Amino acid sequence: MVTMLDGAEVAKHASRESCWVVLHGKVWDVTDFIAQHPGGAGVILRTAGQDATEAYDEVHSPELVVDTLPSECCLGSVDPATIPSLKDSQKPAQEQKQVDQGAVQFPPLTSIVSVDDFEKVAQTYLTPTGWAYYCSGADDEYSIADARRLFRRIALRPRILRRVEPVCTKINLLGHPSSLPIYFSPTGLGKYAYKDADAESVIATAAGKEGLIYCMPTSAVHDAVFGARCMPGQRLFFQLYTGRDRERCKALIRKVEKLGAAAIFLTVDSPVLGKRERDDRIKAAEGDDVIVSGGLAKKSSMGLLNPLLSWEDLDWIRETTSLPLVIKGVQTVEDAVLAYAHGANGIVLSNHGGRSQDTAQSPMLTLLEIRRHAPSLLSAPVKDRFQILLDGGVRRGTDVVKAVALGAAAVGVGRPVLYSMCAGYGEGGLRRLVAILRAEIETNMALAGASCVEELVPEMVNSERAENEVSRRVKL
Ligand SMILES: Cc1cc2nc3c(=O)[nH]c(=O)nc-3n(C[C@H](O)[C@H](O)[C@H](O)COP(=O)(O)O)c2cc1C
C-alpha cells in the first residue's frame, strides 16, 4: 500500500540533519545524499521540506532519482497541493534568467558560420550554473587550451593536382556507417542547453538525420533516446560509468543492449571527479563548503564513478555483453597497448575535454605517442579490429583532417553539441553545427588532395613540432 504523507509533515524535514523533498508527487528522504550531490548540497537544501519538482526538472530527468537513490528513500506520496510552493528566490536560476533576458535576441542560425560562434551564443544564453558546468575544465583549465594548441601546432602538407571532386567523407565506425569521420561525444545535462524536449533525444534525432552516430551518456533517459532514432538502421553507442554496484551495472548494460545499443564506451579517465573551480565557485557562493578532505572520492562513491575500477573489471563487462567495447579516456601509449591486449574493440584518446586532470596531455599528443612507440596499433590488420578515436578541442574541419590523417578512425565532438542547442536552436542548431563541420571537412580534404577518407595519410601533415613534445619516458 502506498503511504500518503501530509505536506505539513514533509515541511518539518527541512534541514541538513533531516532533509525531505517532493519530486513529482513522491516524498524522498535525501538526507544521506545531500553531501554527495554533484551539484552541491546548497541546491537541495534550498528546496528542503518543499516541492522541489520544478528545480529538479530544470536539470534532471524524472528517472534519475529512481535510478540513483535506494528505493527505501522514497517514503510515499503526497498531494502537492498540501506542500508550500517555492519562493521566488528558490526558483531555478534558469527561469529567473529567462525572465531577465526577455528582450535578448539571439542571432539567426544562418549567421552562425563557425563552430565557435555557437559558444558565444551559449555564454549569453546559459545560466551561470549551466555555463560553468559546460565550459569548465579542471583547475586552471590548461588542458582545454592545450588540446586546441596541439591541433594548431600541426601543419598540413597539401598535395595538388589530384582530382578532388567529388569528395567522399563516409567512414565505418565500429562496423557502422557514418557520413563523416566525426561522432557526437557523450555529455551529461543537456537540459541546460535545451528545455523544450529531452535534449539527449534531440541529439539522437539530429545525429540520425545527419547520418552520424551519437554516443549517449549514462545519465540519459535511455528509453527516450533510443526511441528518438529516426532513420532506418540508425545506430547509437552507449557511454558507461560503472558506479560501484556491479549487479546494477550489469543490469544497465543488458538494458541498453536490449534497447539496441551498438557499442559500449567505458569511460575510465575519471575515477574521481576533477576539481572544476567554476562549478565550485557557484556552489561556494550558495553556501557549500566545496573543499572537503576526501570529498572527491566520497562524492564519486554515491554516484556514477568508481575509483576501484581496474583492468580486471573488463572481464565481467566483456562477459555481460557481446557488444563492441571501447575504452574512453586513454591518455598514454602504455594504456592504449593494454586496452588492445585486453581485447577492447577500440579506444578514445581523451582527457574528458580537460575536465578531469588539468595539465593531462592533449589527446593529439597521445596519438603521436602511439605513432612513435606502438605504431603496430595503427597498422592495417590491427585497424580492422581495433579503432582509435580521439576527442577534445575538435572545432575545425582541419582538426578532423589532421587527426584522421594521423590514424584516428574518427573524432568526437563534445561541448559544441551542447552549445549548438542553446538559445532555442535545438535540432536546427545541431544540424547547422554538422553542416558547418561537413563543409569544412569536405573543403579541407579537397585542399589537402584527398577525395576520400582513405586518402588522408600521415604524409599530409607535418607534425614534427608537436612530435618534439612526445614523451621519451614511455615504458612498454
Ligand atoms: C558538459 C560535459 C559533460 C560531459 N559528460 C560526460 C559524460 O557523462 N560521460 C563521458 O564519458 N564524458 C563526458 N564528457 C566528456 C565528453 O564526452 C568529451 O570527452 C569532451 O567533451 C570532448 O571535448 P570537447 O568538449 O572539447 O569536444 C562531458 C563533457 C562536457 C563538456
Side-chain angles (χ1 to χ4, degrees):
M1 201 181 67
V2 181
T3 311
M4 280 306 283
L5 290 150
D6 182 58
E9 176 62 23
V10 176
K12 287 182 202 158
H13 301 268
S15 68
R16 204 177 271 271
E17 290 68 43
S18 182
C19 181
W20 294 6
V21 291
V22 175
L23 298 173
H24 294 282
K26 295 267 185 311
V27 181
W28 289 88
D29 180 349
V30 293
T31 315
D32 291 338
F33 177 68
I34 40 181
Q36 278 90 44
H37 183 229
V43 72
I44 299 186
L45 286 169
R46 272 199 304 286
T47 59
Q50 303 167 68
D51 189 344
T53 308
E54 198 179 342
Y56 170 92
D57 279 353
E58 278 289 321
V59 187
H60 303 304
S61 68
E63 292 82 358
L64 189 68
V65 63
V66 183
D67 289 346
T68 307
L69 295 183
S71 54
E72 53 276 19
C73 290
C74 184
L75 305 177
S77 295
V78 68
D79 175 0
T82 67
I83 294 278
S85 61
L86 292 187
K87 295 187 202 97
D88 273 352
S89 62
Q90 294 160 320
K91 288 209 166 140
Q94 178 67 27
E95 187 192 300
Q96 286 172 14
K97 180 155 179 178
Q98 272 169 358
V99 173
D100 301 338
Q101 282 191 342
V104 175
Q105 286 283 317
F106 293 102
L109 275 175
T110 45
S111 71
I112 304 272
V113 297
S114 80
V115 171
D116 279 335
D117 288 349
F118 280 115
E119 180 168 343
K120 291 181 201 124
V121 174
Q123 187 169 8
T124 316
Y125 170 79
L126 289 164
T127 59
T129 307
W131 171 246
Y133 179 68
Y134 285 178
C135 79
S136 62
D139 299 1
D140 296 306
E141 303 187 338
Y142 284 123
S143 282
I144 296 183
D146 208 43
R148 297 191 72 171
R149 184 186 66 86
L150 252 292
F151 282 120
R152 286 196 299 269
R153 224 167 145 70
I154 293 171
L156 283 157
R157 299 183 68 240
R159 299 302 306 273
I160 54 170
L161 299 172
R162 286 196 157 202
R163 296 183 197 269
V164 286
E165 190 188 77
V167 169
C168 175
T169 57
K170 289 185 189 153
I171 59 149
N172 221 297
L173 193 47
L174 298 165
H176 304 290
S178 171
S179 69
L180 289 171
I182 63 173
Y183 64 95
F184 290 157
S185 292
T187 48
L189 293 187
K191 261 197 166 180
Y192 286 130
Y194 194 66
K195 307 198 167 310
D196 295 350
D198 176 54
E200 285 73 28
S201 297
V202 175
I203 301 174
T205 301
K209 290 183 181 167
E210 292 294 339
L212 297 182
I213 301 181
Y214 172 37
C215 181
M216 72 167 84
T218 305
S219 58
V221 185
H222 312 131
D223 307 62
V225 179
F226 281 104
R229 283 173 295 181
C230 61
M231 303 304 278
Q234 183 184 344
R235 301 294 177 192
L236 292 171
F237 298 152
F238 180 76
Q239 176 269 324
L240 178 70
Y241 283 127
T242 63
R244 291 180 187 241
D245 184 337
R246 187 179 294 190
E247 291 314 310
R248 208 168 161 153
C249 179
K250 284 184 181 174
L252 176 59
I253 295 172
R254 287 195 201 101
K255 177 185 170 191
V256 295
E257 185 164 14
K258 216 164 156 196
L259 284 168
I264 303 284
F265 280 43
L266 174 69
T267 298
V268 294
D269 53 20
S270 305
V272 297
L273 278 181
K275 181 171 183 267
R276 297 206 301 264
E277 292 177 7
R278 287 181 198 251
D279 295 338
D280 286 349
R281 285 181 208 291
I282 289 181
K283 289 173 203 157
E286 289 169 350
D288 285 353
D289 186 356
V290 291
I291 310 296
V292 182
S293 177
L296 298 180
K298 199 170 167 216
K299 259 186 190 174
S300 4
S301 65
M302 265 297 272
L304 301 167
L305 309 184
N306 180 4
L308 298 175
L309 204 66
S310 77
W311 288 104
E312 278 94 71
D313 290 295
L314 295 189
D315 293 342
W316 63 259
I317 294 173
R318 266 260 168 259
E319 278 162 23
T320 309
T321 178
S322 54
L323 289 174
L325 182 62
V326 174
I327 312 295
K328 177 175 184 283
V330 170
Q331 299 174 79
T332 59
V333 61
E334 290 93 328
D335 284 337
V337 169
L338 276 175
Y340 180 70
H342 277 80
N345 302 92
I347 50 177
V348 185
L349 309 180
S350 171
N351 57 25
H352 215 98
R355 294 161 76 79
S356 285
Q357 180 153 59
D358 197 22
T359 71
Q361 71 177 4
S362 95
M364 185 48 114
L365 205 52
T366 310
L367 181 58
L368 295 176
E369 202 172 273
I370 293 172
R371 293 195 67 78
R372 178 177 303 169
H373 295 287
S376 61
L377 289 186
L378 292 156
S379 64
V382 173
K383 267 181 154 177
D384 283 346
R385 89 145 190 78
F386 183 77
Q387 287 190 319
I388 298 184
L389 317 179
L390 173 156
D391 77 18
V394 175
R395 302 291 182 269
R396 286 287 182 193
T398 49
D399 300 340
V400 181
V401 164
K402 290 171 191 175
V404 173
L406 287 167
V411 298
V413 180
R415 290 180 186 84
V417 168
L418 297 167
Y419 295 152
S420 70
M421 283 190 294
C422 287
Y425 296 150
E427 185 186 316
L430 285 159
R431 298 199 65 187
R432 178 80 181 173
L433 170 74
V434 177
I436 291 169
L437 283 169
R438 192 184 297 282
E440 288 189 12
I441 293 167
E442 283 171 357
T443 303
N444 283 291
M445 282 176 63
L447 289 171
S451 61
C452 64
V453 174
E454 293 70 35
E455 287 176 9
L456 288 171
V457 288
E459 300 75 54
M460 277 175 180
V461 299
N462 175 351
S463 54
E464 280 164 38
R465 285 192 310 160
E467 276 160 36
N468 285 332
E469 298 183 28
V470 171
S471 176
R472 290 176 181 79
R473 290 221 182 84
V474 166
K475 213 164 183 186
L476 286 169

